Amino acid sequence: MPLMVSNTLTSGKVEFKPKDGNTVRWYICGPTVYDSSHLGHARTYVAFDVIRRILENFFGFDIFCVMNITDVDDKIILRARRNHLLKIYKESCPPLAKDKLAKLEEDLAKETKSVRVGDLLASKLDEEQGAEIRDQQIFRSHAAFYEQEYHEDMKSLGVRPPDVLTRVTEFIPQIVSYIQKIIDNGFAYEAQGSVYFDIRSFSKTHSYRKLSWNEASMLSALAEAEGALSSGEGKRTEFDFALWKKSKPGEPSWESPWGGGRPGWHIECSVMASEILGDTLDIHGGGIDLCFPHHDNELAQAEAYYGHQQWVNYFLHSGHLYIGYQKMSKSLKNFFTIREILKGGSTMKVSEEESVVLPAYSPRQLRILFMMHEWDKPMYFSKDTLDVAVGKEKTFKEFFGAVKAMAREDVKGVSSLPQAWGEAENVLNRKIEDAQKEIAAALADNFNTPQALLRLQDLVTSCNIYMNSPDARAKFLLVNKAAVYISKIFRVLGIDDNGSDFPFLTSAGAGGDEEVLSSALDAFCSLREDIRAAARAKEEAASAGSAASDYLELCDRVRDDVLPAIGVRLEDRPDGFLWKLDDPEVLARERQQKLMQAAEAQKKKVENKLEKVRKELEKWSGCSVAAGEMFKPLTDKYSKFDDQGIPTHNAAGEELSKKQRQASHTLREEQLKALTT
């Protein structure tokens, strides 16, 4: 079964064949570290982590992975300089001004997420004093801070680090030499201290823009990529882009044959990837937003340097991330950092009128969420999709807990029971084998994790049905086969890395070593079960009354409050009990949710009672009116009455039927009865 991958260079799926046998040379565009990493970063780097794991752990390739850190860039320069100037201003301004500034910052923070606190003032300070900045450590420190934050975020998400990490500032000499060779090859030129790539010259012998073509957006995309500090002075055509930028006062600078300056954005990746991986890359990866101009320009630079036509064989681009069907953007106020999502408490709009506060989500839940979508397609991030991911995790976790409980029973002697297979076992075994084939096919089809997850979930459903059959306990080995296979795929995908045959069930907070706790928990739960049984017996015999209820309440308190705090989930069953280890925080959240649901149910119950009383009151509200007068106010219905107050004619003057008059008489009798009771 060939491995097919979605290759942007070919606009479709093609068979994956590395250049050198089993070795895969892979370069990933890393972050520009000027700010905190957001959900778009999470989606891209988790996607590539999953693909890398599948290539290594499932298909057996040897991956050599290089990723860069862009630590010098116009965005970094502006943000670092402005933060530095704002810090100095705050330290030097008088107390009264500090108080007013603090109030302004507080108002801005409440008003919008799209305006960073102090940005307006920092921008003004930069206009006036930015050119005076001389200390390059200011820029390096800013980049280092957010680089460290990025690495911490990736670690929390379970993203494996690359084999080689490169920083632009550590490759300046190689970048200068690379640019010089492109000039020597006739594909670049120097102009007023900057160096530009010559698109017209390159296009005579090479193909430019191999990855995308959209004439309408070309100039705006090029301008954005060049950066806010770029002047473009001396360019021969508006499509040429900077390889080396002349530095102005207040900007970091390195020496070069063309004067003091710094690298352009695109040249960094061409140089660092070439330096480590050579003249041909098997895979180059990044977000789809980098397709043009960054990756198109990377290809042009490398091919101009090497003098050939094919620097990258497979270009992998992860899809856009949308928040509520809008592309994530600070200007739209739908921007979430990785840390905000993991911490919880962020507000997400679910409609024009309604917003919800998101709870904390775990890295594993986010990984499952990302794998529910094809990695190279757009993904819509919402509260509903998050809830689906949480539900999938719960399904798998409960399955492994049930299988582990079967394993404990097997140790106790269930394995001595007959093991001969019947039709149920043959059916389940075929489903396991079918799932293995279908999942292998899904992973070979462009790393189709959504399909793989669905097949895993179907297999869990089949196993759960089988485990609830009368003979399931005697066939633990068959169920264990399915569990071991599912845990293997989870390790492949990075959903769970603990190496256990029962994922999700071991953690630092889940009660410690299960082997040590097993006997103690069995004994404790058995004692609790005996107390419950005795209490029920007394209650049924009406000999203990409320005391039996007290016993049962104490047992429930142990199940609901005591055991969850140490990471133990206890489930009462008709034939006894079942305990599983779990994360105390997960159990606490589930308990809180159950309490909220119970409170809501109780509220609904009270509301229903109140509504019933209200209707009764409404029905008998006429009791305060004398029986003979109860119909006379209804002039819209009746026009004449007899001496007892019973209506005889309707509002139009027509005489009422005998049946209608009898109904009114009956109501009058009920009124009289109500007044006397």
Side-chain angles (χ1 to χ4, degrees):
M1 185 183 299
L3 171 59
M4 306 297 289
V5 301
S6 179
N7 186 0
T8 315
L9 280 166
T10 60
S11 300
K13 296 178 187 177
V14 294
E15 185 175 353
F16 181 66
K17 293 181 179 180
K19 178 185 176 183
D20 296 326
N22 215 47
T23 300
V24 177
R25 294 177 174 83
W26 186 354
Y27 182 82
I28 299 176
C29 272
T32 299
V33 284
Y34 74 99
D35 203 349
S36 297
S37 300
H38 52 65
L39 275 178
H41 294 119
R43 199 269 166 112
T44 291
Y45 295 117
V46 168
F48 288 138
D49 181 71
V50 171
I51 292 174
R52 180 182 173 188
R53 289 170 182 267
I54 293 172
L55 287 171
E56 286 186 329
N57 302 336
F58 194 83
F59 292 106
F61 288 105
D62 299 318
I63 308 295
F64 183 33
C65 182
V66 180
M67 191 189 77
N68 76 296
I69 297 290
T70 297
D71 60 347
V72 58
D73 174 85
D74 286 19
K75 292 178 180 179
I76 295 172
I77 294 169
L78 285 171
R79 184 65 60 81
R81 206 164 62 190
R82 290 173 179 178
N83 286 357
H84 175 71
L85 292 171
L86 183 62
K87 178 175 180 290
I88 293 174
Y89 177 85
K90 288 182 176 180
E91 291 173 348
S92 61
C93 68
L96 182 60
K98 283 183 179 180
D99 293 341
K100 289 185 176 180
L101 179 60
K103 182 65 169 62
L104 172 64
E105 291 176 338
E106 183 180 346
D107 292 342
L108 281 172
K110 290 178 180 178
E111 185 176 328
T112 175
K113 280 183 69 176
S114 65
V115 177
R116 181 182 285 266
V117 174
D119 264 2
L120 299 177
L121 177 57
S123 179
K124 182 65 175 176
L125 291 170
D126 190 50
E127 289 178 13
E128 298 172 350
Q129 306 171 34
E132 300 173 11
I133 299 296
R134 297 288 184 269
D135 185 3
Q136 295 203 45
Q137 186 58 34
I138 292 170
F139 308 109
R140 178 64 202 134
S141 297
H142 181 94
F145 175 85
Y146 286 108
E147 180 189 335
Q148 179 62 29
E149 193 177 85
Y150 165 81
H151 292 312
E152 291 171 358
D153 287 344
M154 293 302 105
K155 184 176 182 180
S156 70
L157 293 175
V159 174
R160 294 166 57 193
D163 300 311
V164 181
L165 185 74
T166 62
R167 296 189 185 96
V168 176
T169 54
E170 297 172 355
F171 277 78
I172 299 298
Q174 294 92 326
I175 291 172
V176 170
S177 298
Y178 203 95
I179 294 173
Q180 185 60 59
K181 185 175 178 181
I182 294 176
I183 294 174
D184 295 341
N185 289 347
F187 298 120
Y189 57 91
E190 185 270 337
Q192 301 181 30
S194 295
V195 178
Y196 296 100
F197 192 83
D198 192 337
I199 292 293
R200 286 188 298 191
S201 176
F202 179 77
S203 298
K204 291 176 183 177
T205 55
H206 292 75
S207 175
Y208 179 57
R209 296 202 71 182
K210 293 182 176 182
L211 299 171
S212 60
W213 183 259
N214 185 344
E215 188 74 37
S217 65
M218 186 173 181
L219 289 176
S220 61
L222 279 169
E224 183 180 355
E226 291 294 84
L229 299 175
S230 299
S231 66
E233 295 177 355
K235 288 205 299 184
R236 294 176 183 172
T237 75
E238 55 191 350
F239 299 109
D240 294 348
F241 55 89
L243 303 181
W244 185 261
K245 297 179 179 181
K246 178 182 178 180
S247 291
K248 299 184 290 292
E251 299 174 6
S253 179
W254 288 266
E255 286 304 314
S256 78
W258 320 286
R262 64 185 191 278
W265 178 30
H266 317 300
I267 194 66
E268 310 164 356
C269 291
S270 296
V271 174
M272 292 185 288
S274 297
E275 189 74 18
I276 306 298
L277 299 173
D279 64 351
T280 305
L281 278 60
D282 291 303
I283 299 176
H284 192 318
I288 190 64
D289 54 312
L290 299 180
C291 198
F292 178 80
H294 187 52
H295 289 160
D296 273 318
N297 289 352
E298 273 189 61
L299 285 170
Q301 292 163 160
E303 290 168 9
Y305 177 85
Y306 287 112
H308 61 40
Q309 300 290 331
Q310 188 79 3
W311 183 52
V312 174
N313 291 332
Y314 300 88
F315 239 116
L316 308 187
H317 286 104
S318 60
H320 278 307
L321 178 73
Y322 292 85
I323 305 290
Y325 299 93
Q326 293 178 311
K327 185 181 176 184
M328 189 175 65
S329 166
K330 288 186 177 180
S331 62
L332 295 173
K333 306 176 189 178
N334 62 357
F335 181 88
F336 298 98
T337 67
I338 294 171
R339 297 186 176 207
E340 285 173 336
I341 292 298
L342 295 180
K343 182 180 179 181
S346 297
T347 301
M348 173 184 284
K349 291 190 71 173
V350 295
S351 68
E352 289 298 325
E353 300 81 18
E354 185 182 359
S355 297
V356 295
V357 177
L358 298 178
Y361 293 97
S362 71
R364 183 166 62 216
Q365 289 165 350
L366 283 182
R367 181 171 285 251
I368 292 173
L369 170 69
F370 294 142
M371 288 194 294
M372 286 163 46
H373 301 78
E374 294 183 68
W375 66 272
D376 58 336
K377 299 294 190 297
M379 173 189 161
Y380 298 94
F381 183 91
S382 68
K383 177 69 165 56
D384 290 341
T385 56
L386 280 165
D387 290 343
V388 172
V390 171
K392 286 182 182 292
E393 181 196 46
K394 184 177 181 182
T395 296
F396 289 123
K397 182 185 291 185
E398 290 181 347
F399 166 70
F400 285 117
V403 178
K404 194 153 193 175
M406 284 185 69
R408 291 195 299 270
E409 292 297 319
D410 191 64
V411 171
K412 294 176 184 178
V414 177
S415 58
S416 63
L417 296 174
Q419 294 295 314
W421 279 17
E423 181 59 22
E425 286 73 31
N426 286 317
V427 169
L428 180 58
N429 189 55
R430 283 195 297 271
K431 289 184 176 180
I432 294 172
E433 292 175 347
D434 289 344
Q436 291 171 332
K437 294 174 184 175
E438 291 166 358
I439 289 167
L443 297 182
D445 181 18
N446 195 34
F447 317 107
N448 192 335
T449 55
Q451 190 66 21
L453 284 177
L454 285 174
R455 297 286 73 78
L456 289 172
Q457 203 164 357
D458 290 344
L459 180 56
V460 165
T461 299
S462 298
C463 289
N464 286 337
I465 293 172
Y466 173 76
M467 284 190 288
N468 289 325
S469 66
D471 297 330
R473 293 175 63 190
K475 313 298 188 302
F476 162 72
L477 295 177
L478 178 59
V479 177
N480 188 60
K481 174 186 177 182
V484 169
Y485 171 71
I486 295 171
S487 65
K488 169 193 168 183
I489 299 300
F490 278 5
R491 286 194 295 274
V492 167
L493 300 175
I495 294 177
D496 191 280
D497 262 342
N498 65 24
S500 168
D501 287 341
F502 305 105
F504 301 4
L505 303 183
T506 57
S507 69
D513 187 346
E514 183 169 351
E515 298 303 321
V516 175
L517 286 174
S518 182
S519 298
L521 284 171
D522 278 338
F524 175 78
C525 294
S526 294
L527 174 62
R528 175 181 174 276
E529 187 66 20
D530 291 343
I531 294 173
R532 293 175 73 236
R536 283 203 188 95
K538 287 185 178 181
E539 197 166 57
E540 290 172 1
S543 60
S546 62
S549 298
D550 291 342
Y551 293 149
L552 292 172
E553 184 178 342
L554 288 172
C555 291
D556 289 345
R557 192 178 302 169
V558 170
R559 177 196 63 201
D560 297 334
D561 299 329
V562 178
L563 291 178
I566 60 173
V568 179
R569 181 194 300 274
L570 178 60
E571 299 175 4
D572 290 319
R573 297 191 167 190
D575 58 346
F577 62 89
L578 176 69
W579 61 261
K580 308 172 187 175
L581 297 186
D582 208 331
D583 189 330
E585 292 185 4
V586 171
L587 296 174
R589 285 198 295 268
E590 289 181 4
R591 175 64 172 159
Q592 184 64 28
Q593 188 174 7
K594 287 180 181 178
L595 291 174
M596 291 173 63
Q597 291 173 344
E600 186 64 27
Q602 182 63 26
K603 178 184 174 184
K604 191 69 176 176
K605 187 176 181 181
V606 171
E607 288 176 348
N608 290 338
K609 285 185 177 180
L610 288 174
E611 179 64 15
K612 186 176 181 181
V613 171
R614 186 190 66 77
K615 288 181 178 179
E616 286 292 319
L617 288 173
E618 187 177 280
K619 179 179 178 181
W620 297 107
S621 61
C623 290
S624 60
V625 180
E629 303 294 324
M630 64 183 296
F631 297 108
K632 290 182 178 180
L634 306 178
T635 56
D636 59 329
K637 292 184 177 182
Y638 311 114
S639 59
K640 293 182 181 181
F641 306 87
D642 64 14
D643 56 357
Q644 293 182 326
I646 302 297
T648 58
H649 293 73
N650 63 21
E654 299 168 343
E655 187 174 2
L656 297 177
S657 66
K658 184 176 180 181
K659 185 176 181 181
Q660 289 173 320
R661 295 182 66 178
Q662 181 60 42
S664 298
H665 181 77
T666 301
L667 287 174
R668 179 179 178 278
E669 292 299 315
E670 290 178 352
Q671 175 81 329
L672 286 170
K673 184 178 179 182
L675 288 170
T676 59
T677 56

